[in-house]
């Protein structure tokens, strides 16, 4: 704990040096004064609060809300001075709001703690004291040797020591880290690869020196020093030796590795962004409105205080005969009296700030969030997954999205590759019923039904079967016949690959007759039309993003040394000196136009002298400790030249259902879509074209492969110039991770200018933290757009947490994205309904709810202010204290809450079929200054009508005054304080409830019940409250007042007349605006109404929609019915 505090204060940096030294199995040197380095434990923490900081941290966050802080001040004022109302009127609602919110946020964080404990408590096996010890994940220490079995997830970042294979290799999938579900091969150093048992590993004496933790998933620099027979062997360690936490072991029975990075220092954890409290734009608007209302409140309080003292300047009003001052009051300081009076007025008018607004908003968000989970249109039947809400605070933000940042693999695509076409020796082929058929030939034509392969075709297919990193499921390679039955027909092989393209190509080759049957040591086995052939694997030239190709050097059964190469056409065709280069280039372009992922295949024969030379060069480069990567790149370029082109392949990455329609709908709604992927440049562009993110007519601009700041800046300026010149056509921008880093370092403004003028942006080769940086760049730009990030892997967590709204896809890549998201859906296509229907409804509902609350509180407190002009500013309340307390809690709360849950101003099908309606609510249109001003002025207007209408109509009616009160001629006394106040209050309750009814477009029986029920409840309560003498009340001011009021016919006339007068102008304004200046939404409403009338289905429609909402209240009915809201 002390060390943590010191680290936070900066006195004890966690890492003193640039490297860390790890003694395997924690065998520290016994000699000298060795001080072990301190490393983090292996606990993962994604929660926000702890038991110790929950109360202070949560209270701090809650009192950042203007209304909460304000009511705290009012409560303290009421405790300190004598005020017109009790401290309970402010303290109790405040306590209720704080408690409810704390419970809700505490519960959400408890769920995160639960998920963390599940991860940290997972069982693991560690080598200790010569045996395997079972322990919990959180107990792993740096230096421990950990055993991981097949299909298990790595609990820490490990350096691979050995596997069940002789060569020390293993295969992992990093789907949850970088979004790639393909297999990657990792290898141990030869000296540790042979240590395959616990006993042998326990004898290992070795030291690892490596860099301190960093977030880059693809970078690791280290070395291992192994002590063997009195000598020390030093081997370099790179990314191929590092197994990352979160990755999964595949196609390998078990591995042993040493823990190098643990807990929050693992690369996976370093790529997580710390979880911060997200606040919606509506909440920020609410805070702005509250500040304006605070200014109004202060103005009213100061004005009232000044007028009180101006009035009391006359001696007869300063101390009238019926209200003589005490000796203490006469001698008290005038300044203190002024402050005390100001605070008393502040308390009297404080109800203009509605604390119950926050309670209602919290309830609306919490209850409203259930609709997303209950909507069967967001339910995915194949996986039995329904939409999930992790944070209900951001519902309305779904209606304000301007930018969508999406991952590619597993989000836009299914990550399932299918072979479609290929070009061999200048001839295009397609696969027809398991046969390779030239284009234009049918299966029935003479050349279409062949049982043999031509020489070029066979060589091409062998190249495809040999040039890859595909592995076969270990269970299928056992037995004498391998994967072949006695009749010579192949049983289905289960392939694992480092690239989904490779897997699709090897599977396609096996279907047409050339089958890769596995590797045995350094031998690759192939069966060509049933005839087995063995190739010795001599070297693998691994794929890298700069070369954009991979190669293998093999020895054929005849002893020939062959190089087989495959890669992007831009990296293969310029290096080819023979073959059908021009024809193949045309075919590749045709494949790309169809949205297929293309690869070119070539080969080269080596003479014995040439092979000797390249073998020597490769050995030197691979064992170099300095500049190893550069030296290897030079050797690879020397080898991969003078190629003979064999052909090209076209593979389709299966897109998720309705991806193109969804992206097009987002574009129509005014939402810009950015694709952020860790994938290769060509792959990403290909998928962008096929999913409709890039159009064929779009001018694609590229900012890729820049190594220096100057070239990047120059390219950005050229792109900006091109966009300016060709402003008529649409532009799409492609940028890679390295170029992006350079652009953001010095030229952020120019980069943003280029991006904003592009219709679509694609960022490829992105590290997880780079994704978050791009989202933050847009978020913090001057326009402050609302951003949404959607992804399915742990590599997307950072951007999901950075965006205003984060959505996780429940895909095949684990649950990290779903756990850290605000909402989770099963498929990308569900995003359209989530935004256009749910988002639209949530925003409209909460915008009306917020402004209506301010309106009804202005109506409520303005008569109280006006009344002070008639009572010498004596701080007398117009309303009874029970009415003051119950106005927001009981009399006017339910209609607006039900409205905010059920309102459907346009039918959901119309909203989804017309994405352009989403533009009507963009940029917080319904909570801008104009709508706010309208509602505020309306509130003041209605308040004046309530007060002066009641005063003018009832001021001279003495029939009410049966208790013997007589009006004075100057009418300053009026006809009784409580009777007049009750009349104003009655008119007010009816008017604000009717105003809510006018705003409601979609009526259900619940709306009718709470709207008319609220008015009836007010009347029943008032009769009951005023009809009995309550023994526990200090005063009986309201006794028989309401009965008296209702016994007067003129009172009923006044109520009806004032309510009509208030609402008439509002109705006229609505009608005129609707017909003279209708919005797109209002036009859609009118079209819907006309359609309903012409089809004579009004009753059936309302019944259907009413049933929908009944289902909404009864989740148990979900499996049998569908709720559309």
């Amino acid at each position: 704990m002390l060390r943590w505090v010191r680290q936070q204060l900066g006195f004890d940096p966690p890492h003193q040096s640039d490297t860390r030294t790890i003694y395997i199995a924690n065998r520290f040197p016994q000699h000298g004064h060795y001080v072990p380095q301190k490393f983090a434990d292996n606990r993962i923490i994604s929660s926000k609060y702890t038991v110790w900081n929950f109360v202070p941290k949560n209270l701090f966050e809650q009192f950042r809300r203007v209304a909460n802080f304000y009511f705290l001040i009012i409560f303290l004022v009421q405790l300190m001075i004598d005020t017109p109302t009790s401290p309970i009127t402010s303290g109790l609602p405040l306590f209720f709001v704080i408690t409810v919110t704390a419970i809700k946020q505490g519960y959400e964080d408890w769920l995160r703690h639960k998920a963390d404990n599940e991860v940290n408590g997972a069982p693991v096996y560690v080598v200790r004291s010569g045996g395997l010890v079972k322990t919990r994940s959180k107990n792993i220490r740096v230096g421990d040797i950990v055993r991981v079995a097949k299909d298990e997830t790595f609990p820490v970042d490990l350096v691979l020591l050995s596997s069940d294979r002789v060569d020390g290799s293993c295969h992992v999938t990093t789907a949850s880290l970088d979004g790639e579900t393909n297999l990657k091969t990792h290898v141990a150093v030869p000296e540790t690869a042979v240590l395959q048992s616990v006993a042998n590993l326990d004898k290992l004496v070795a030291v690892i020196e490596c860099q301190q933790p960093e977030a880059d998933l693809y970078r690791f620099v280290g070395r291992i020093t192994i002590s063997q027979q009195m000598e020390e062997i030093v081997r370099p360690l790179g990314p191929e030796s590092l197994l990352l936490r979160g990755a999964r072991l595949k196609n390998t029975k078990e591995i042993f590795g040493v823990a190098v990075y643990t807990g929050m220092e693992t690369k996976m954890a370093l790529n997580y962004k710390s979880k911060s409290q997200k606040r919606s734009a509506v909440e920020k608007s609410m805070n702005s409105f509250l500040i304006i209302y605070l200014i109004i409140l202060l103005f009213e309080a100061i004005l009232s205080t000044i007028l009180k003292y101006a009035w009391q300047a006359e001696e007869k009003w300063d101390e009238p005969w019926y209200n003589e001052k005490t000796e203490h009051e006469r001698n008290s300081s005038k300044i203190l009296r002024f402050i005390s009076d100001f605070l008393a007025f502040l308390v009297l008018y404080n109800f203009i700030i509605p604390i119950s607004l926050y309670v209602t908003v919290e309830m609306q968000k919490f209850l409203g969030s259930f609709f997303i989970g209950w909507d069967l249109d967001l339910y995915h039947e194949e996986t039995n997954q329904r939409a999930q809400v992790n944070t209900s605070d951001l519902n309305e933000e779904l209606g304000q999205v301007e930018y969508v940042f999406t991952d590619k693999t597993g989000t836009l695509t299914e990550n399932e590759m299918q072979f479609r076409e290929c070009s061999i020796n200048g001839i295009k082929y397609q696969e027809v019923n398991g046969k390779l058929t030239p284009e234009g030939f049918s299966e029935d034509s003479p050349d279409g039904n062949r049982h043999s392969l031509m020489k070029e075709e066979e060589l091409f297919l062998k190249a495809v079967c040999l040039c890859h990193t595909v592995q076969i499921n270990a269970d299928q390679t056992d037995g004498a016949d391998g994967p072949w039955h006695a009749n010579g027909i192949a049983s289905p092989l289960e392939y694992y690959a480092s690239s989904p393209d490779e897997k699709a190509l090897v599977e396609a080759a096996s279907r047409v007759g050339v089958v890769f049957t596995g590797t045995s040591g350094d031998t690759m086995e192939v069966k060509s039309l049933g005839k087995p052939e063995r190739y010795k694997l001599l070297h693998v030239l691994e794929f890298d993003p700069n070369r954009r190709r991979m190669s293998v050097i093999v020895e054929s059964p005849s002893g020939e040394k062959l190089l087989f190469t495959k890669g992007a056409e831009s990296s293969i065709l310029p290096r080819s000196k023979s073959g059908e280069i021009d024809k193949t280039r045309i075919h590749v372009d045709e494949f790309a136009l169809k949205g297929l992922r293309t690869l070119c295949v070539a080969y080269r024969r080596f003479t014995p002298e040439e092979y000797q030379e390249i073998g020597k060069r490769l050995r030197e480069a691979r064992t170099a400790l300095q500049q190893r990567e550069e030296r290897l790149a030079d050797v690879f370029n020397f080898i991969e030249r003078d190629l003979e082109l064999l052909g090209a392949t076209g593979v389709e990455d299966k897109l998720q259902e309705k991806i193109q329609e969804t992206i097009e709908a987002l574009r129509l709604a005014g939402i810009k879509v950015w694709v952020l992927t860790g994938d290769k440049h060509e792959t990403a562009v290909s998928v962008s074209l096929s999913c409709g993110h890039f159009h064929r007519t779009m001018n694609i601009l590229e900012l890729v492969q820049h190594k220096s700041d100057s070239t990047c800046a120059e390219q950005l300026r050229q792109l900006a110039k091109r966009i300016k010149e060709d402003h008529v056509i649409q532009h799409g921008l492609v940028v890679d991770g390295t170029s992006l880093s350079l652009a953001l370092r010095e030229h952020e403004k120019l980069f943003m200018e280029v991006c904003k003028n592009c219709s679509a942006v694609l960022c490829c080769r992105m590290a997880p933290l780079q994704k978050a940086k791009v989202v933050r760049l847009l978020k913090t730009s001057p326009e402050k757009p609302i951003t949404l990030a959607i992804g399915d892997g742990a590599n997307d967590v950072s951007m999901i947490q950075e965006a205003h709204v984060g959505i996780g896809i429940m895909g095949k890549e684990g649950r990290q994205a779903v756990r850290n998201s605000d909402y989770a859906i099963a498929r990308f296509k569900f995003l359209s309904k989530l935004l256009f229907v749910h988002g639209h409804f949530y925003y409209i509902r909460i915008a009306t709810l917020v402004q209506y609350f301010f309106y009804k509180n202005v109506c409520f407190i303005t008569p109280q202010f006006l009344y002070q002009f008639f009572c010498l500013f004596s701080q007398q309340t117009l309303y009874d204290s029970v009415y003051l307390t119950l106005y927001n809690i009981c009399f006017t709360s339910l209609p607006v809450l039900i409205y905010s849950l059920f309102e459907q101003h346009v039918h959901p099908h119309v909203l989804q079929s017309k994405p352009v309606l989403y533009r009507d609510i963009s940029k917080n249109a319904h909570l801008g200054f104009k709508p706010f001003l309208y509602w505020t002025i309306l509130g003041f207007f209605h308040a004046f009508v309530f007060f002066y209408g009641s005063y003018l109509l009832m001021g001279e009616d003495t029939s009410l005054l049966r208790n013997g009160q007589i009006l004075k001629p100057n009418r300053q006394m009026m006809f009784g304080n409580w009777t007049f106040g009750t009349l104003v209050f009655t008119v007010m309750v009816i008017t604000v409830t009717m105003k809510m009814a006018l705003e409601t477009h979609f009526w259900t029986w619940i709306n009718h019940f709470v709207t008319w029920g609220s008015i009836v409840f007010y009347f029943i309560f008032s009769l009951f409250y005023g009809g009995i003498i309550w023994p526990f009340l200090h005063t009986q001011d309201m006794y028989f007042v309401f009965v008296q009021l209702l016994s007067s016919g003129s009172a009923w006339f006044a109520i009806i007349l004032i309510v009509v007068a208030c609402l008439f102008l509002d109705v006229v304004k609505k009608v005129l605006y609707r017909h003279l200046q209708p919005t797109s939404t209002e036009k859609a409403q009118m079209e819907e109404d006309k359609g309903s009338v012409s089809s004579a289905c009004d009753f059936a429609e309302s019944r259907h929609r009413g049933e929908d909402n009944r289902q909404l209240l009864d989740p148990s009915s979900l499996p049998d019915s569908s709720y559309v809201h």
Side-chain angles (χ1 to χ4, degrees), residues 950-951 954 975 978-988 1018 1045 1051 1054-1055 1058:
S950 300
Y951 179 63
M954 303 301 294
F975 56 83
W978 299 118
T979 314
F980 176 70
T982 305
L983 175 63
V984 173
F985 194 84
T986 304
V987 170
M988 179 170 57
Y1018 165 70
L1045 182 69
I1055 290 168
I1058 294 167

Side-chain angles (χ1 to χ4, degrees), residues 940-994:
F940 279 114
F941 167 69
H942 284 182
F944 273 81
V945 175
F946 300 155
F947 187 84
Y948 287 108
S950 300
Y951 179 63
L952 294 171
L953 289 170
M954 303 301 294
E956 292 181 353
D957 187 350
T958 54
S959 66
L960 288 174
L961 311 178
R962 292 178 186 170
N963 55 4
Q965 287 181 316
I966 299 171
L967 272 172
K968 291 189 175 182
N970 63 9
R971 291 175 57 189
Q972 286 174 339
M973 176 85 177
M974 294 188 12
F975 56 83
N977 172 47
W978 299 118
T979 314
F980 176 70
T982 305
L983 175 63
V984 173
F985 194 84
T986 304
V987 170
M988 179 170 57
V989 168
I990 296 171
T991 304
V992 298
T993 306
M994 292 296 293

Side-chain angles (χ1 to χ4, degrees), residues 477-748:
T477 56
D478 300 333
D481 294 329
W484 291 76
H485 293 307
N487 59 7
I489 299 169
S491 65
L493 284 166
E494 188 182 352
Y495 291 114
Y496 292 112
S498 61
S499 156
D501 303 72
E502 287 186 342
K503 184 182 175 188
L505 292 173
V506 172
E507 286 174 342
S510 71
R511 289 194 298 270
V512 296
V514 180
V515 184
F516 168 64
T517 57
T519 56
S520 175
D522 59 356
T523 303
M524 300 181 80
E525 296 178 9
V526 173
K527 286 196 175 182
S528 178
L529 296 175
K531 179 187 168 188
E533 293 180 11
R534 289 171 177 263
Y535 289 81
K536 187 177 181 183
L537 181 62
L538 302 171
H539 297 284
V540 177
L541 280 55
E542 296 86 0
F543 175 88
D544 70 63
N546 296 320
R547 283 166 50 243
R548 293 189 290 179
R549 59 186 178 271
M550 80 151 294
S551 303
V552 292
I553 301 174
V554 296
E555 184 180 319
S556 70
S558 61
E560 263 189 310
K561 305 290 192 298
L562 300 171
L563 168 83
F564 288 112
T565 303
K566 74 171 189 306
E569 77 281 359
S570 57
S571 66
I572 299 289
L573 296 180
R575 296 180 159 270
S576 302
K577 67 171 186 178
S578 59
E580 296 287 351
I581 298 171
D582 293 332
K583 285 183 181 178
T584 305
R585 184 179 278 116
I586 293 166
H587 291 167
V588 165
D589 291 341
E590 288 174 5
F591 294 164
L593 282 172
K594 294 175 183 175
L596 302 180
R597 293 155 64 99
T598 57
L599 287 172
C600 286
V601 182
Y603 84 114
R604 178 184 173 187
R605 299 176 194 271
F606 292 120
T607 63
E609 295 77 20
E610 284 175 333
Y611 178 71
Q612 247 182 341
E613 170 70 14
I614 63 167
K616 182 185 169 189
R617 288 198 182 198
L618 270 173
R619 275 191 300 277
E620 287 175 359
R622 287 193 196 277
T623 53
L625 285 173
Q626 303 295 324
Q627 297 179 323
R628 192 192 311 171
E629 290 173 0
E630 291 84 351
R631 293 180 68 173
L632 274 174
D634 291 340
V635 177
F636 288 174
N637 284 328
F638 172 74
I639 297 169
E640 296 165 331
R641 61 193 173 91
D642 300 335
L643 303 172
E644 187 174 334
L645 187 65
L646 291 172
T649 61
V651 174
E652 182 181 38
D653 186 359
K654 190 180 175 186
L655 291 172
Q656 282 190 20
E657 195 184 355
K658 294 190 176 177
I659 286 288
Q660 288 172 311
E661 295 90 328
T662 306
I663 289 177
E664 187 54 37
L666 291 171
R667 196 173 277 128
L668 287 172
I671 298 170
K672 287 193 173 182
V673 180
W674 287 36
V675 175
L676 311 181
T677 176
D679 225 328
K680 292 174 279 195
H681 173 208
E682 292 82 11
T683 305
V685 172
S686 175
V687 173
S688 275
L689 284 165
S690 58
C691 73
H693 177 236
F694 284 166
H695 285 304
R696 299 286 171 205
T697 55
M698 210 178 258
N699 182 24
I700 308 295
L701 309 173
E702 290 193 349
L703 183 69
V704 292
Q705 304 244 312
H706 289 285
K707 297 288 173 68
S708 72
D709 208 37
S710 54
T711 59
C712 183
E714 181 57 36
Q715 179 69 4
L716 272 171
R717 281 190 281 273
Q718 287 181 9
L719 293 179
K721 189 180 174 185
R722 279 182 66 184
I723 290 170
K724 219 170 188 179
E725 289 168 357
D726 303 336
H727 59 87
V728 179
I729 60 170
Q730 286 188 325
H731 299 278
L733 176 69
V734 183
V735 57
D736 64 8
T738 51
S739 305
L740 182 75
S741 298
L742 293 169
L744 296 185
R745 196 181 301 159
E746 297 287 336
H747 317 288
E748 196 174 286

Side-chain angles (χ1 to χ4, degrees), residues 1046-1060:
L1046 296 188
S1047 65
S1048 166
S1050 53
W1052 284 103
F1053 173 72
I1055 290 168
I1056 293 166
L1057 189 63
I1058 294 167
V1059 170
V1060 170

Side-chain angles (χ1 to χ4, degrees), residues 825-867:
I825 51 178
R827 286 290 182 270
F828 186 84
K829 66 176 180 178
F830 295 150
L831 189 63
S832 62
K833 181 157 193 192
L834 195 65
L835 299 186
F836 304 152
V837 179
H838 289 278
H840 199 122
F841 282 158
Y842 284 135
Y843 177 74
I844 290 291
R845 290 164 181 172
I846 206 159
T848 307
L849 181 149
V850 169
Q851 295 179 120
Y852 175 78
F853 250 93
F854 284 110
Y855 152 80
K856 75 185 179 78
N857 278 43
V858 168
C859 290
F860 181 40
I861 221 64
T862 305
Q864 179 75 70
F865 171 67
L866 296 173
Y867 184 59

